[in-house]
Amino acid sequence: KAGVTQTPRYLIKTRGQQVTLSCSPISGHRSVSWYQQTPGQGLQFLFEYFSETQRNKGNFPGRFSGRQFSNSRSEMNVSTLELGDSALYLCASSWGRMGSTDTQYFGPGTRLTVL
Amino acid sequence: DAKTTQPPSMDCAEGRAANLPCNHSTISGNEYVYWYRQIHSQGPQYIIHGLKNNETNEMASLIITEDRKSSTLILPHATLRDTAVYYCIGTSYGKLTFGQGTILTVHP
């Protein structure tokens, strides 16, 4: 079974631009979560989507947004990029079952560099 | 999510067992203990999880104390490829709250 895939793997943008990252979950998984990893803050939860709806949200500004499509693929968008947005962006997929353990499996990440 | 405490770093000789401790004294009754590891800038890799009972899979064993306030991840025969940052997380569902983890270095 194929794992979680993320595209692109590497991206260089300049301040003020916007960027869209893509994540394809494991087949059958309906939940996609996004995380940001930086050397200073570590791994931080951004948001989770399930059945095309945002179900959970972390503590990030509104410049960070996402969406999920009917095939469970997800995209996240960062508008008006800042230098501090340089990070490894990870997505994780799971079945999305509420009220029970539901293991998340991570993709390889997208390395975003903002110049 | 439960707050977890892990030692910042540990060393282990290749071929020996690596025992990684985690304190989660604030864990609630429905929160599972999850372990992930991250090898240099790759995505975190799921290792194992448990609620109350000890668990074992092909990668590792998880020992959870009876009061559930701490746990130990055991890699029975560590190899150089096990060098990574290991994260212990207490969660009931949804977002994973990662701490700083333990940097495990396996030496030849």
Side-chain angles (χ1 to χ4, degrees):
Chain A
K1 194 187 245 189
V4 178
T5 58
Q6 293 186 245
T7 57
R9 293 294 311 280
Y10 302 90
L11 207 47
I12 299 175
K13 292 285 188 180
T14 55
R15 275 182 298 173
Q17 288 187 308
Q18 74 163 18
V19 68
T20 300
L21 312 181
S22 180
C23 172
S24 292
I26 291 170
S27 178
H29 284 188
R30 297 172 64 194
S31 169
V32 173
S33 297
W34 289 89
Y35 294 81
Q36 181 198 63
Q37 186 172 28
T38 61
Q41 300 297 319
L43 264 156
Q44 293 184 290
F45 172 78
L46 279 156
F47 32 66
E48 181 218 1
Y49 284 85
F50 177 80
S51 288
E52 302 177 63
T53 302
Q54 188 180 87
R55 190 160 65 171
N56 210 344
K57 188 176 187 307
N59 216 12
F60 278 80
R63 299 187 297 108
F64 292 82
S65 63
R67 59 177 175 167
Q68 187 180 35
F69 302 95
S70 58
N71 62 358
S72 295
R73 190 178 69 84
S74 176
E75 290 181 346
M76 71 161 281
N77 184 276
V78 188
S79 63
T80 319
L81 283 166
E82 301 176 359
L83 294 178
D85 296 332
S86 294
L88 180 66
Y89 289 88
L90 294 153
C91 100
S93 77
S94 69
W95 295 107
R97 295 172 296 210
M98 292 290 284
S100 68
T101 179
D102 193 40
T103 302
Q104 294 184 33
Y105 296 91
F106 285 82
T110 294
R111 171 74 61 185
L112 172 65
T113 302
V114 181
L115 302 175
Chain B
D1 289 354
K3 178 173 166 48
T4 59
T5 304
Q6 300 177 253
S9 63
M10 293 184 65
D11 291 322
C12 179
E14 191 176 20
R16 304 296 294 267
N19 297 284
L20 291 90
C22 177
N23 180 289
H24 35 76
S25 57
T26 61
I27 198 168
S28 63
N30 65 341
E31 286 184 317
Y32 284 77
V33 178
Y34 272 83
W35 283 83
Y36 284 82
R37 73 181 182 184
Q38 188 174 27
I39 297 171
H40 187 58
S41 290
Q42 297 179 20
Q45 178 188 25
Y46 165 75
I47 301 172
I48 198 167
H49 73 280
L51 184 63
K52 297 180 196 176
N53 301 319
N54 299 337
E55 302 288 344
T56 296
N57 62 20
E58 63 279 4
M59 286 184 68
S61 294
L62 174 60
I63 309 296
I64 302 174
T65 58
E66 196 168 334
D67 61 10
R68 301 209 329 122
K69 292 186 177 180
S70 65
S71 62
T72 301
L73 177 75
I74 301 172
L75 307 178
H77 306 287
T79 71
L80 299 179
R81 287 184 295 181
D82 291 322
T83 293
V85 181
Y86 287 77
Y87 297 98
C88 163
I89 301 162
T91 184
S92 56
Y93 170 75
K95 70 174 187 176
L96 300 173
T97 302
F98 288 83
Q100 295 305 308
T102 296
I103 300 171
L104 174 69
T105 304
V106 181
H107 298 284

